[in-house]
Amino acid sequence: MEKIILTGDRPTGKLHLGHFVGSLRRRVELQNSGEFDKIYVMIADAQALTDNADNPEKVRQNVIEVALDYLSVGIDPAKTTIFIQSQVPELTELAFYYMNLVSVARVQRNPTVKTEIKMRNFESSIPLGFFCYPVSQASDITAFKATTVPVGEDQAPMIELTREIVNRFNHIYGPTLVEPEILLPENAACLRLPGTDGKAKMSKSLGNCIYLSDTAKEVAKKVKSMYTDPLHLNVSDPGHLEGNCPFIYLDAFSTAEHFPKYAPDYQSLQEMKDHYTRGGLGDGTVKKTLIGILEETLQPIRERRAQFEKDIPAVYDILKAGSEKAREAAARTLDEVHAAMKINYFSDRALINEQAHKYNG
Ligand code: TRP
């Protein structure tokens, strides 16, 4: 069986470091591993509209931002098909059939949907389209026969629902769809990178994000204002690591090779942590190390972004070509779905003959 990746993001804002360690970095590694036969990365504008119906301009503006972020981190259109969800209408049709295989109660139990309903004050009135987005996500995944879906932990319920839909569909209509597997980030810091204020998650509305497109100056300023250990008042005081942002970010970003360059007094992050907890290591030094490491990561991304920004029409051309290619793949699956569901009337000779026979002997 072919190994196929599908993943994507809602274009509701620029991508930040949380996206980078949570999924973007991994996507580039997977892309370059040569282990996958096909890779699709989707800009989920239709899904973004499910909770931004009154603000389509926000979605429209962010499609290009997300595309630039993808290209700048090294997602390569020669290896990965980058496309816009709304330009593949086959996905919508699939969702319409899948909705018959899922109960309202099943979606109501989805913990991610539950949290989002609260966050968006949808409690009194949930848009029906928003309520159905987990089902539409199953279409996104199955349309491409994806075997592997690299996403953050919050997406696990969607992949679970997709697997249920696949099983129900195949059980009722015969084997047609492929059951996907989730691929989660490698460590806890990457699973949920806190915002610079120490809050649980980077989120635009909390203003605690470091964006991939931030300048070196902005990044340094944000790191310097990061939440650390409020009890660590003097350098000599023993410090605490729990909830300490610079150290969590170091967990997510640093490798052994970084230490000789950015913290030559230490062989490893563990040594640095030990010194901090013993006392005698100041937050400023930790932050300086982090700024150096982040810059090493972000500078090439920034440079690549600047290149792509010079020719925006070419970026739209990449998205157009990707969307056409994605559409062909989704159409093939939709044909198979039609055939399995026996709603392929005009290519079903047996049906036409059977009806002709019934009426004319
Ligand atoms: N829900 C994802 C997000 O919030 C975006 C998305 C839409 C997606 N369809 C998908 C991710 C299919 C993986 C697979 O960013």
Side-chain angles (χ1 to χ4, degrees), residues 276-296:
Y276 189 82
T277 36
R278 263 197 326 270
L281 173 58
D283 289 315
T285 310
V286 183
K287 287 178 173 174
K288 228 176 108 200
T289 304
L290 177 61
I291 290 171
I293 293 173
L294 284 182
E295 270 315 295
E296 186 171 319

Side-chain angles (χ1 to χ4, degrees), residues 6-12 19 27 40 42-45 47-48 70 85 112 116 120 133-134 136-142 146 148-152 154-155 158-159 162:
L6 177 115
T7 185
D9 301 275
R10 294 182 196 178
T12 52
H19 295 113
R27 286 183 205 169
Y40 297 93
M42 179 180 77
I43 302 179
D45 64 334
Q47 188 176 108
Y70 283 168
Q85 187 182 27
T112 301
E116 287 173 334
R120 288 163 181 63
Y133 96 73
S136 123
Q137 199 156 332
S139 313
D140 304 336
I141 296 167
T142 54
T148 311
V149 187
V151 279
D154 61 327
Q155 298 298 305
M158 312 305 165
I159 316 304
T162 303

Side-chain angles (χ1 to χ4, degrees), residues 14 16 41 49 54 57 59-60 68 71 118 156 217 230-231 249 255 257 270-271 273 286 313 333 337 342 350 356:
K14 293 183 284 187
H16 51 61
V41 175
L49 285 167
D54 52 355
E57 194 52 28
V59 176
R60 199 163 101 106
L68 286 166
L71 294 167
K118 275 210 199 85
K217 221 167 137 192
L231 302 173
Y249 280 53
T255 62
E257 292 86 68
Q270 193 53 49
E271 272 188 15
K273 286 181 176 172
V286 183
T333 304
V337 162
K342 296 197 170 290

Side-chain angles (χ1 to χ4, degrees), residues 207-228:
N208 61 2
C209 303
I210 297 179
Y211 294 101
L212 291 171
S213 49
D214 278 350
T215 62
K217 221 167 137 192
E218 285 167 326
V219 173
K221 190 167 160 229
K222 288 179 180 179
V223 172
K224 284 181 190 152
S225 73
M226 262 184 186
Y227 178 85
T228 59

Side-chain angles (χ1 to χ4, degrees), residues 173-238:
Y173 303 113
T176 313
L177 304 174
V178 176
E179 222 181 308
E181 306 232 1
I182 191 169
L183 189 61
L184 289 169
E186 52 267 42
N187 72 38
C190 298
L191 216 49
R192 188 158 300 171
L193 194 74
T196 51
D197 56 357
K199 298 249 165 64
K201 222 177 153 176
M202 266 198 188
S203 114
K204 199 169 125 190
S205 48
L206 295 174
N208 61 2
C209 303
I210 297 179
Y211 294 101
L212 291 171
S213 49
D214 278 350
T215 62
K217 221 167 137 192
E218 285 167 326
V219 173
K221 190 167 160 229
K222 288 179 180 179
V223 172
K224 284 181 190 152
S225 73
M226 262 184 186
Y227 178 85
T228 59
D229 171 8
L231 302 173
H232 189 236
L233 297 173
N234 302 301
V235 172
S236 55
D237 292 340

Side-chain angles (χ1 to χ4, degrees), residues 227-268:
Y227 178 85
T228 59
D229 171 8
L231 302 173
H232 189 236
L233 297 173
N234 302 301
V235 172
S236 55
D237 292 340
H240 299 86
L241 297 171
E242 218 182 278
N244 193 317
C245 286
F247 278 106
I248 299 172
Y249 280 53
L250 285 171
D251 277 331
F253 283 94
S254 74
T255 62
E257 292 86 68
H258 285 135
F259 282 84
K261 236 173 160 175
Y262 301 108
D265 293 345
Y266 308 96
Q267 303 273 336
S268 65

